[in-house]
Amino acid sequence: MTVNRKDLYGPNCQEQAARYEKIRAGFIETFGDDQGTAFFSAPGRTEIGGNHTDHNHGRVVAAAIDLDIVGLARKTEDGLARLRSVEYPRMDQVDLADLKPRRENSGSQAIIRGICARCKELGYQVGGFECFTQTRVLKGSGLSSSAAFEILVVTVISHLYNDGKIDPVEAAKIAQYAENVYFGKPSGLLDQMGSSMGSVTAMDFANPEKPQVENVSFDLKSYGHVLCVVDTGGNHADLTPDYAAIPQEMKAVAKVFGKEFLRDVNERDFYNDLNQVRKAAGDRAVLRAMHFFDDDRLAHEEAEALKRGDFASFLQMVNQSGKSSQQRLQNVYSPAHPEEQGIPLALTISEALLQGRGACRVHGGGFAGTIQAYVPEDLLDSYRAGMEKVFGQGSCYVLTVRSCGGVKVEL
């Protein structure tokens, strides 16, 4: 897909024009000139419904956001993929003649290698390229900066070598493969789909090879609310063991019933056999399974509420989902660092500032990072001031929904 920069950024187009020129200058400084280049963009995403349901084939609602990563890229003939970013000046280089996973590779090199390998396996053309990037997707914020980067790389390959023919669902699956197999981080498909699809999308992963997707876009402004995320400034040390334990424990419960994923387990059978499940998988796994069943259902009901314009019910369900994440999923702080509880603190303060209105919940993977809040417009100034008084100036971000996923950008 190709879009005009003015259509992509609207009233912020001039501000973005300056940003794009800085990216161009960085490309020229790095690679010598900008002949034959094109701009590409991929958005971050915000999770609206379905917290940790995707990896067990559940349902979710996600939205692409106005914070994006932009790359300037061009083809090369040397069979090397080279990428450098403003944030990480070290050059990442991948030899496309050898796309096997490498233990010593980490970070963006592993992602680039995995994406190129998967594209090649699927029959897409892959070739050398040079790319210079800059991101506005907040790191460690639960807005999926990693998925945005992955979708950007897939978009570059799609347009440089495949006439833009890699569709959004395929792009997300390629990106997830790279993250799971080459980067070694277990994840469902929510993050990548949220970035690749654009707009607000309800997704059903009962068959992850052919996920069901439906646009459920809604205008928050028409309901007198804004969407905020608050960065609690938690310790972003490696939380992979915490994240990995959730799908592992959910799958341990599913195994009791001879299934691999909780989506395939009959909920009534689960509750009838709680004693057996406790013995086999442990109490935390039981609680996390309870969360899955309820949040999977809530994600579907939230999408239906948005489609029929029942915003009040939607807000109630957001709060209900958030309490389930806190009490049963238990992903609001890391058990390895109980002294750091920025997310529970932010949720408690949010509830006080919202005065019984709006809604708030943990955002994304959890354990550290951000919360999400739907804030009435008349409370925005006081809400932002109250949160930033505790978590620092600039910690409260107002997000808007972006209508497209990974795209080539015409100037």
Side-chain angles (χ1 to χ4, degrees):
M1 182 178 179
T2 302
V3 300
N4 183 279
R5 188 168 63 193
K6 187 173 183 180
D7 293 334
L8 188 61
Y9 298 109
N12 297 319
C13 187
Q14 279 304 113
E15 174 188 332
Q16 291 300 314
R19 176 190 176 207
Y20 273 56
E21 286 311 306
K22 288 181 180 178
I23 294 171
R24 187 190 301 278
F27 185 98
I28 293 171
E29 179 185 351
T30 303
F31 300 112
D33 60 66
D34 65 343
Q35 296 299 307
T37 58
F39 280 104
F40 302 91
S41 166
R45 71 96 185 100
T46 183
E47 173 196 292
I48 292 174
N51 193 217
H52 280 282
T53 55
D54 58 329
H55 48 61
N56 266 259
H57 294 187
R59 290 168 285 190
V60 301
V61 183
I65 60 171
D66 56 334
L67 301 178
D68 66 344
I69 178 172
V70 171
L72 184 62
R74 70 180 170 197
K75 282 184 177 182
T76 61
E77 303 298 328
D78 57 6
L80 300 176
R82 297 188 184 91
L83 186 145
R84 185 182 172 202
S85 70
V86 171
E87 295 77 22
Y88 299 102
R90 185 195 73 180
M91 179 80 74
D92 287 311
Q93 180 170 299
V94 173
D95 185 347
L96 302 181
D98 178 13
L99 293 176
K100 295 178 182 178
R102 294 185 178 184
R103 289 185 179 179
E104 68 272 19
N105 279 174
S106 61
S108 51
Q109 265 193 66
I111 293 296
I112 295 167
R113 188 181 300 276
I115 286 172
C116 291
R118 188 58 175 163
C119 284
K120 196 171 182 180
E121 287 175 7
L122 294 171
Y124 293 109
Q125 295 297 311
V126 174
F129 63 86
E130 296 169 334
C131 186
F132 189 86
T133 72
Q134 189 272 334
T135 187
R136 295 171 65 238
V137 187
L138 313 171
K139 302 289 185 180
S141 64
L143 297 174
S144 294
S145 58
S146 58
F149 174 80
E150 293 158 8
I151 296 301
L152 178 78
V153 174
V154 178
T155 303
V156 167
I157 293 171
S158 178
H159 283 272
L160 292 186
Y161 287 99
N162 298 278
D163 298 320
K165 292 180 179 177
I166 302 179
D167 68 63
V169 174
E170 192 72 82
K173 289 159 64 177
I174 291 168
Q176 183 204 25
Y177 175 89
E179 184 166 305
N180 290 176
V181 178
Y182 278 70
F183 186 61
K185 181 179 178 180
S187 70
L189 200 52
L190 164 64
D191 293 349
Q192 292 82 6
M193 286 282 283
S195 177
S196 69
M197 294 298 298
S199 194
V200 181
T201 309
M203 311 171 199
D204 187 336
F205 297 117
N207 179 359
E209 288 303 310
K210 295 181 179 180
Q212 300 297 307
V213 296
E214 181 183 8
N215 186 288
V216 292
S217 292
F218 69 108
D219 180 13
L220 260 180
K221 191 172 181 61
S222 68
Y223 296 109
H225 282 67
V226 294
L227 176 60
C228 296
V229 292
V230 179
D231 186 353
T232 66
N235 181 358
H236 297 299
D238 185 14
L239 295 170
T240 298
D242 292 307
Y243 296 134
I246 293 177
Q248 288 169 0
E249 291 179 12
M250 288 183 178
K251 289 176 182 178
V253 172
K255 188 177 180 181
V256 176
F257 299 92
K259 306 293 184 182
E260 186 176 359
F261 302 100
L262 273 180
R263 183 68 181 276
D264 300 319
V265 174
N266 184 287
E267 185 177 359
R268 183 179 298 174
D269 291 343
F270 165 75
Y271 278 102
N272 285 339
D273 293 332
L274 276 182
N275 188 43
Q276 177 188 354
V277 180
R278 288 184 68 200
K279 291 177 181 177
D283 286 346
R284 189 172 71 171
V286 167
L287 288 165
R288 285 175 164 172
M290 289 177 174
H291 167 82
F292 172 86
F293 288 121
D294 281 350
D295 228 43
D296 172 64
R297 183 166 45 249
L298 274 173
H300 172 70
E301 292 174 354
E302 286 171 344
E304 292 301 309
L306 291 177
K307 285 193 291 184
R308 66 177 182 266
D310 187 355
F311 192 64
S313 292
F314 168 76
L315 290 178
Q316 290 178 353
M317 288 184 274
V318 170
N319 282 325
Q320 188 178 343
S321 172
K323 288 179 180 177
S324 180
S325 291
Q326 191 163 6
Q327 296 170 357
R328 296 184 290 181
L329 186 61
Q330 300 177 41
N331 69 329
V332 293
Y333 68 90
S334 171
H337 301 282
E339 72 282 1
E340 296 183 14
Q341 298 198 26
I343 290 176
L345 179 61
L347 291 171
T348 302
I349 296 170
S350 282
E351 289 174 356
L353 292 171
L354 290 172
Q355 304 171 29
R357 300 166 63 192
C360 61
R361 66 194 285 271
V362 62
H363 183 244
F367 297 109
T370 57
I371 69 161
Q372 179 189 78
Y374 295 85
V375 182
E377 288 179 336
D378 61 297
L379 292 180
L380 177 60
D381 289 343
S382 59
Y383 179 83
R384 178 185 277 163
M387 298 307 289
E388 293 190 347
K389 182 178 180 180
V390 177
F391 298 103
Q393 191 71 27
S395 59
C396 181
Y397 302 86
V398 177
L399 302 179
T400 57
V401 174
R402 165 168 153 162
S403 62
C404 57
V407 292
K408 181 179 179 180
V409 184
E410 297 288 357
L411 302 187

